[in-house]
Amino acid sequence: MAANYYDEDTAEAITEFERDLESLILEAFASGVPIERQWVFVSEPSSVPDWTVRIERRPTASGEEDGEGTPSDATTGLEPE
């Protein structure tokens, strides 16, 4: 987890961000929102950076797509690429 490389305050903020993002993704998935795509966020004012976020579904442990319900390989935290 990326939080291991930062000071305590930053690590805590990263951990909270990961929990919030995971919760948002899982709640949206459970509500049927098609979240698997690339999202582009353009910020105002221009002094705030724009962001691109790609959400991709990971294959299950058996290598098959999970057709319904919650992801069968759910893990906590995000893995940096």
Side-chain angles (χ1 to χ4, degrees):
M1 179 159 48
N4 296 333
Y5 302 104
Y6 299 98
D7 64 60
E8 190 174 317
D9 290 338
T10 302
E12 186 176 321
I14 290 171
T15 299
E16 183 177 348
F17 171 76
E18 290 174 340
R19 281 192 300 255
D20 291 347
L21 183 57
E22 179 180 23
S23 178
L24 177 65
I25 290 171
L26 292 175
E27 287 175 20
F29 174 76
S31 297
V33 176
I35 60 173
E36 187 176 354
R37 59 178 274 200
Q38 180 169 304
W39 302 84
V40 177
F41 302 96
V42 178
S43 303
E44 294 292 333
S46 60
S47 61
V48 177
D50 297 338
W51 301 96
T52 300
V53 177
R54 179 182 300 270
I55 300 175
E56 296 176 341
R57 186 177 189 155
R58 291 175 49 178
T60 62
S62 66
E64 299 175 8
E65 288 292 322
D66 189 7
E68 297 181 16
T70 58
S72 61
D73 66 341
T75 59
T76 57
L78 301 174
E79 300 172 5
E81 289 190 7

